[in-house]
Amino acid sequence: MTIDLLKEMPQITGEIGLNAADLPAPSTLCKAFDRISMSVCRVLLRQSAQLHDLSEHAAIDATFYDRSPASRHYCQRISYRVQKLKVTKLVDTASQAVLDVHCSTNRDGSDADLAEQIARRNAGDLRSLAADKGYDKQSLREGLRELGIRPLIKHRIFAPYDHAHNARIDDNSYNQRSMTETVNSAVKRSLGFAVRAQTWFREFREIALMCVVYNIKRFVKQ
């Protein structure tokens, strides 16, 4: 689809110094895309986020993306059984830029453990991290504090002292966690709620690059 679109967009190809005859075959582009490591996609995502004025206050939440439908024969041949990708985004609450992303085809495991992993990758850039009660885990709070990050995560109510813990959290700062829902909605409305690649490693790169494009589009609009 990318090659077909570029052939119909001479102004775009002219801007990047190409002619329609210079465009590669779709299979060539696909193989080149496979050679891009996820670490390179993360660097691109970080660079696109730094276009914005970041506040050092972030929120984290997960959403799901559909996998594009494939033929029954193809699904059986490659054991294509997972129908959705779980995508966790780390979002700057002031600029609504996507700072980091984690993708998985497996819904098992703790969201709190994953949040700590993402926070460690971005520890030097964060002063606080907001999340909903699904991330309520004491080890996560302790891990964030060790990194110098203030956890803004409400406690689920099991005992009277949980009310006291929640009362110490500033509501205005905690409520900024809703920015992740805003960003998830904006990305899906503008770039689609499904990934088109049909292998999980290519789908992960597609998600990361969708976030890169979202960051750039938001910067240009501002």
Side-chain angles (χ1 to χ4, degrees), residues 66-206:
D66 292 332
R67 301 179 79 179
S68 59
S71 69
R72 186 173 181 180
H73 171 72
Y74 180 85
C75 292
Q76 291 176 342
R77 184 162 58 87
I78 68 165
S79 299
Y80 186 97
R81 299 186 181 91
V82 179
Q83 298 302 314
K84 290 182 181 292
L85 292 179
K86 183 178 181 180
V87 178
T88 304
K89 294 190 183 83
L90 181 70
V91 174
D92 182 77
T93 55
S95 64
Q96 297 181 32
V98 180
L99 304 176
D100 202 350
V101 65
H102 181 277
C103 306
S104 175
T105 59
N106 188 356
R107 302 187 191 185
D108 296 336
S110 169
D111 286 344
D113 293 339
L114 178 58
E116 184 174 355
Q117 175 186 334
I118 295 173
R120 287 188 182 280
R121 284 204 299 256
N122 300 271
D125 302 319
L126 300 180
R127 290 169 53 196
S128 71
L129 180 64
D132 60 28
K133 293 180 182 179
Y135 293 85
D136 175 22
K137 191 174 183 180
Q138 190 59 30
S139 61
L140 171 59
R141 294 187 179 89
E142 293 171 354
L144 291 176
R145 292 190 183 103
E146 289 175 1
L147 296 170
I149 302 171
R150 183 190 177 194
L152 299 174
I153 306 169
K154 289 286 183 78
H155 292 252
R156 286 173 286 188
I157 305 300
F158 295 113
Y161 54 78
D162 289 328
H163 290 284
H165 288 311
N166 291 342
R168 289 199 294 267
I169 296 177
D170 178 63
D171 285 339
N172 290 331
S173 299
Y174 174 71
N175 291 337
Q176 292 300 306
R177 66 182 177 79
S178 63
M179 290 298 101
T180 55
E181 298 172 5
T182 301
V183 170
N184 284 332
S185 175
V187 173
K188 289 182 177 181
R189 281 187 284 107
S190 62
L191 300 171
F193 58 87
V195 290
R196 294 185 175 89
Q198 294 187 348
T199 54
W200 61 266
F201 53 87
R202 198 179 297 155
E203 289 167 346
F204 290 1
R205 290 155 178 73
E206 185 177 347

